[in-house]
Amino acid sequence: MDFNMKKLASDAGIFFTRAVQFTEEKFGQAERTELDAHFENLLARADSTKNWTEKILRQTEVLLQPNPSARVEEFLYEKLDRKVPSRVTNGELLAQYMAEAASELGPTTPYGKTLIKVAEAEKRLGAAERDFIHTASINFLTPLRNFLEGDWKTISKERRLLQNRRLDLDACKARLKKAKAAEAKATTVPDFQETRPRNYILSASASALWNDEVDKAEQELRVAQTEFDRQAEVTRLLLEGISSTHVNHLRCLHEFVESQTTYYAQCYRHMLDLQKQLGRFPGTFVGTTEPASPPLSSTSPTTAAATMPVGPSVAGLAPPGEAALRLEEVTPPASGTRKARVLYDYEAADSSELALLADELITVYSLPGMDPDWLIGERGNKKGKVPVTYLELLS
């Protein structure tokens, strides 16, 4: 018990000495040992790496899981060392709602059929998103989190220890400086005529005491300097290890980009398949008139994403056998024309198509050899191809 009390008193004395030194430094009343420029650069680079790693980690988590409540829940599960429950993605949930809506509204109607097709595509998109989140979490988020919770905590601990060693060193320097000043004052020779002999004895005794105090302060300074140099070297080695951290994070970043490329390439392929099923053709997007990009020359995810078409091609709009279709030469058949109500606005992709407005009535008919997902529509003296999925046939 006595030993513990002594240790507690010693620790309290050290803490008080460091507090005094730190306070005097802040008010400019004490000298401070400065680190070399290279060491300061290492400290600045380490702090910058830590700050940006935290920001990148947080924003990547937002990208993978936009719902803040879900992120908090996952964080609590990780802290409790419990497995995070499987969560349905937004795409999968949308697919479920669309499938249920199609079942209730009528799976045989044009709207119901389209809902079923889109629900299947959304389900595949949700599965691809789930794989992307899993891969990105393992290959990118985990290494960043390990750095912040492992390496950085070690660096921070050693930096605090170095700060304490520096405060001890500077306190020893200040103590030695004061002891030398007091020794010099005590050894000043007094005037024989103005000072009694008794004061010579006191002066000699004080000089000896201060001499011992100087020797003790010098010894403490040597010990403090040795401990400071040793701790500075340990901290320097850890800070230089930040270069290895950058290399590791660079590799993880490449893996993240690769997984993201694969994810978006899968999404593009799924949506391209959906467009084909809905009567659209590869390389066409509603509302654009720019030429399409060259056709895909490779099936790899990277190539598929890099050569994604952004505009329609007139040749690609017409099904086989209709490339030479001239609308001015088309005449409606004697029988087989029907009235149709337009369900949604439709913007023509080129001059061969007819733009539509929701709720308007048009006359439609089919020609031999036409794609079953398309009809010829007429409104007044205008005619053009129209997608069946945008129509409700009346008679």
Side-chain angles (χ1 to χ4, degrees), residues 113-156:
K113 291 180 180 179
T114 304
L115 279 174
I116 293 175
K117 292 179 181 179
V118 177
E120 294 174 352
E122 292 295 338
K123 186 176 181 180
R124 291 192 293 268
L125 291 176
E129 181 184 2
R130 182 191 302 276
D131 293 339
F132 167 60
I133 292 174
H134 178 72
T135 303
S137 297
I138 294 177
N139 296 338
F140 189 61
L141 291 184
T142 300
L144 298 185
R145 194 175 289 114
N146 289 341
F147 165 72
L148 293 174
E149 296 179 356
D151 295 348
W152 182 253
K153 286 188 176 180
T154 302
I155 292 174
S156 299

Side-chain angles (χ1 to χ4, degrees), residues 144-279:
L144 298 185
R145 194 175 289 114
N146 289 341
F147 165 72
L148 293 174
E149 296 179 356
D151 295 348
W152 182 253
K153 286 188 176 180
T154 302
I155 292 174
S156 299
K157 177 182 177 182
E158 298 300 330
R159 286 179 65 176
R160 288 193 298 268
L161 191 56
L162 177 63
Q163 172 74 352
N164 292 336
R165 295 288 182 264
R166 186 196 63 76
L167 290 173
D168 294 340
L169 176 62
D170 290 337
C172 290
K173 289 180 178 179
R175 191 179 302 117
L176 177 60
K177 184 178 180 180
K178 292 178 181 178
K180 287 185 175 180
E183 181 189 29
K185 184 178 181 180
T187 55
T188 302
V189 180
D191 190 348
F192 284 91
Q193 296 179 356
E194 298 180 359
T195 309
R196 291 178 297 177
R198 178 172 172 271
N199 290 340
Y200 293 118
I201 300 175
L202 295 176
S203 177
S205 177
S207 178
L209 290 175
W210 283 114
N211 188 35
D212 293 340
E213 186 66 23
V214 169
D215 293 339
K216 182 180 178 181
E218 290 177 345
Q219 176 63 25
E220 292 177 351
L221 177 60
R222 285 191 293 268
V223 173
Q225 184 70 55
T226 301
E227 292 181 351
F228 172 79
D229 293 341
R230 183 188 300 113
Q231 185 59 37
E233 185 62 25
V234 171
T235 308
R236 183 191 302 273
L237 292 176
L238 290 175
L239 294 175
E240 290 175 349
I242 292 294
S243 298
S244 301
T245 299
H246 288 181
V247 173
N248 183 42
H249 289 183
L250 175 62
R251 177 184 58 81
C252 296
L253 184 60
H254 278 283
E255 294 179 355
F256 174 72
V257 171
E258 185 65 26
S259 63
Q260 198 170 28
T261 303
T262 302
Y263 166 62
Y264 285 118
Q266 290 175 345
C267 293
Y268 169 69
R269 287 199 299 270
H270 294 327
M271 295 309 298
L272 199 63
D273 292 341
L274 177 62
Q275 282 185 324
K276 292 178 181 179
Q277 295 178 25
L278 297 181

